[in-house]
Structure formats: structure tokens, C-alpha cells
Amino acid sequence: MAENHYKVVIIGSGPAGWTAAIYAARANLSPLVLQGTQPGGQLTITTDVENFPGFPEGIMGPELMEKFQAQAERFGTKVVYDTVTDVDFSKRPFTVVADEGTYTADTVIVATGASAKWIGLESEKKLMGHGVSSCATCDGAFFRGKEVIVVGGGDTAMEEANFLTRFCAKVVVVHRRDSLRASKIMQDRAFANPKIEFIWDTAIEEIVGSKETGVTGVKLKNLKTGEVSDFATQGVFVAIGHQPNTGIFEGKLELHPNGYLKVKPGTASTNVEGVFGCGDVTDHHYRQAITAAGTGCMAAMDAEKYLEALEATATPV
Ligand code: NAP
């Protein structure tokens, strides 16, 4: 087989991808991990992970991902910093095209995860990196002593708001409803934080500022009364959820209407035999590091079974 041929190619390097790699490598399948544009995935832009079992004191997200990678490499995983741009699952071996090379594979494990959603405003796009961010961990320190807004009412928004209070003078959570979606513990923490305030039933209509001044304010719309008002702020952190990274699989793998990759319940199998899915790209419900890791294990075990069956049919009796 060609030099760039692998029994298992894993696309993505979050908890799902690394766990698939650990299992595939320990099964002697010498997998290749194509890391993608955000090696380590979403955990690399978070701080303390307090709910990953085995770390009673908590662990920093990036450190946890380094440990996953080290464990995968220890058993012979090859890791390449490369981003996949196209795939061909219509013939075997499968082809995976990336920026730096083209790879062929007997099985492919899709672990491409999900990315932060944006509100969709022109002004949001214009001021990204100039006061607009989706990552408090990455950018929070730039807002020391300032007043900022966090948009959203889920766990991510509460986590971002709490984290930002380490730097900011005040954090205002702007949420489109009058109750939060976040878990009770995260809500309680946010409500108890004296630096966090809430504006309910409200959407951001426009973010005001320029690349020179940064964000100077927002136009807020009260969704119950329709009233629009100006609100001064120096930063906007958007924390309104995620979308699956399935763009390159459109028309090639079966997706749910919301874009998430379809897998057969209780397995990691997609509609193409030999292609498996795991982690957040398949999961719009739980979206936890531990569930991603669990399904990464499933994907590797399913791939191993598939390869065994393939070899059994290829061996002359
Ligand atoms: P989420 O639970 O889907 O929450 C998204 C929030 O953004 C919701 O409050 C939603 O409002 C709001 N929203 C969505 N689209 C919007 C728009 N266009 N404009 C304004 N607001 C909008 O997403 P998440 O907070 O990222 O959490 C995702 C998953 O990860 C959850 O399962 C969560 O438990 C988990 N998570 C856990 C932790 C932790 O335990 N430490 C931390 C982060 C995330 P509505 O409420 O009105 O729909």
C-alpha cells in the first residue's frame, strides 16, 4: 500500500478523536490523527475542567488534551497537523484530502466536533477581534477593568461570565428569554457573583464601535416591548451554542436536519460502511468531554470489528 495509506484515519483531535486513537493504537492499527485547525478541540479554549472523572481537583482543558495526545502517541498513533478539505467515501480505500497531503484509509473516524455559533450581525463580524469574541479564556485578559456583555443563557454563557469576572469590573449577561437554560449549579454561581448582572428578554441588534476604538456599545432590543436602547459596553462575548463541523461531509454522509452527523443508535456507524462518527459532531444533546471520549472509544472498537470482518473476507480459505 502507498505510504499515505492507513487502516484508520481519524479526523479531529478533541476528546473523541484522541480516545479513538488510543483504542485504535492499542489494537495495533497504527492510526493517523489529522488534527485540524484547532488541535485539541474546544477544551483548549476552556479553563478548569471540573467534571472529567479522575481529576478530583480539576484540570486545565489544554493540559487534559495534552495528556490524551501523549497517551495516543505512546501506543503508536501518528499525528499530523493538517486540515481536511475534502473526502471521497464513494470508493475504497477511502480518500481524505487535506491541506498538506492526501491520505487513503480502510476506515475513517469523523471526530470533527462543533464550533461556536455567532449572532449573525454585520457589526459582529466587523468587530471580531476588536472587542467581539467567543472565547473568554482566550481574550478575557484583554478586558481587565472593563465592562463587558455576555450573550446567551446556557452553561457556556454562565461559565464565560464567571470567568470574565476575574478580569472585568462588570459582566452583563444579555439573554433572549426570562429564564436561563444553564444547569442549576452554573446558574447559582452566576446569580451569587456580585459582578454579574442580567438583562432579560433582550437581543443585541447591533454592536457599535470601530476597529480603531474597539466596541463602545450595543443597541439592545427588548423582545417583549420592542423598545430599542443604547447600552455602553467595551466588549461582547458571544456564547450562544455551537454548530457541528460537517461542511465537508455534506452530500457524502447522512446528516440530521440540524447538520449533526447521523450515527446508528448505540453504535458509531454512519450510513457509509467503514466510516464512523463520534464526539460532538454526532451529539447535539450531551456535548461533554466525557461523552465525546466514550463515543470515541465506540468508534475505534467499531472500526476494529469492521477491519477484522474485512480481513476475514479477504483471506482465501
Ligand atoms: P446551549 O445549551 O445550546 O445554550 C445556548 C444559549 O444561547 C441558550 O440560552 C439560547 O437561548 C441562546 N441562544 C441560542 N441562539 C441564540 C441567538 N441567535 N441569539 C441569542 N441567544 C441565542 O449551548 P451551550 O451553553 O454552549 O452548552 C452546550 C452544552 O455544553 C450543554 O449541554 C451544556 O450543558 C454543556 N456545557 C457544560 C459546561 C459545564 O458543565 N461546565 C460548560 C459549557 C457547556 P434559549 O435558552 O432561549 O434557547
Side-chain angles (χ1 to χ4, degrees):
M1 276 290 185
E3 197 186 322
N4 268 2
H5 181 83
Y6 294 84
K7 284 186 176 168
V8 182
V9 167
I10 298 165
I11 309 176
S13 57
W18 288 131
T19 305
I22 292 165
Y23 274 77
R26 289 194 75 254
N28 264 341
L29 296 173
S30 310
L32 169 71
V33 171
L34 297 170
Q35 283 188 291
T37 45
Q38 194 181 4
Q42 291 177 66
L43 277 192
T44 57
I45 54 167
T46 172
T47 44
D48 272 342
V49 179
E50 292 177 340
N51 52 11
F52 200 88
F55 298 93
E57 312 302 332
I59 181 168
M60 299 302 275
E63 192 191 344
L64 181 60
M65 284 301 90
E66 278 166 24
K67 285 182 184 291
F68 272 55
Q69 176 169 355
Q71 197 172 351
E73 287 182 318
R74 177 181 159 207
F75 297 110
T77 300
K78 184 172 173 191
V79 182
V80 176
Y81 178 63
D82 207 352
T83 300
V84 176
T85 54
D86 199 9
V87 290
D88 184 355
F89 295 150
S90 66
K91 51 186 189 303
R92 283 142 216 274
F94 302 126
T95 304
V96 176
V97 182
D99 285 336
E100 304 295 327
T102 296
Y103 310 86
T104 57
D106 295 325
T107 64
V108 172
I109 294 178
V110 176
T112 47
S115 302
K117 270 193 205 161
W118 295 97
I119 306 170
L121 303 169
E122 261 316 302
S123 49
E124 173 189 51
K125 211 185 278 172
K126 187 181 84 183
L127 292 169
M128 221 170 265
H130 300 276
V132 174
S133 169
S134 73
C135 176
T137 316
C138 318
D139 301 326
F142 300 127
F143 294 83
R144 201 173 290 279
K146 296 188 174 173
E147 297 192 1
V148 301
I149 278 178
V150 170
V151 189
D155 278 336
T156 303
M158 295 313 107
E159 197 170 67
E160 299 268 283
N162 268 307
F163 179 74
L164 284 166
T165 60
R166 296 190 196 180
F167 310 99
C168 300
K170 187 164 92 178
V171 177
V172 178
V173 174
V174 174
H175 182 38
R176 63 183 179 184
R177 293 186 296 125
D178 62 1
S179 63
L180 297 172
R181 179 179 294 280
S183 55
K184 175 91 172 55
I185 184 169
M186 302 292 277
Q187 293 198 22
D188 289 349
R189 219 175 267 175
F191 289 140
N193 190 323
K195 281 187 173 180
I196 299 179
E197 291 174 14
F198 289 83
I199 298 181
W200 304 104
D201 299 309
T202 297
I204 293 192
E205 280 226 314
E206 198 191 329
I207 302 172
V208 182
S210 68
K211 287 187 176 158
E212 290 69 39
T213 60
V215 169
T216 54
V218 288
K219 282 198 183 305
L220 295 180
K221 182 176 185 179
N222 184 305
L223 298 171
K224 286 207 164 137
T225 63
E227 188 193 333
V228 177
S229 58
D230 290 317
F231 188 88
T233 191
Q234 293 156 300
V236 176
F237 285 83
V238 180
I240 60 172
H242 295 85
Q243 60 197 13
N245 297 319
T246 47
I248 52 169
F249 305 111
E250 270 170 33
K252 297 174 182 185
L253 291 175
E254 219 177 300
L255 306 179
H256 288 285
N258 61 3
Y260 281 80
L261 178 60
K262 251 191 193 177
V263 288
K264 291 192 188 105
T267 77
S269 304
T270 68
N271 65 311
V272 175
E273 257 187 70
V275 178
F276 305 91
C278 54
D280 282 12
V281 73
T282 65
D283 174 17
H284 55 96
H285 184 64
Y286 297 104
R287 291 179 288 190
Q288 300 297 304
I290 187 70
T291 48
T295 55
C297 159
M298 288 163 67
M301 291 179 76
D302 287 354
E304 189 188 350
K305 271 228 167 70
Y306 170 83
L307 287 167
E308 263 171 28
L310 210 63
E311 272 166 31
T313 50
T315 311
V317 184

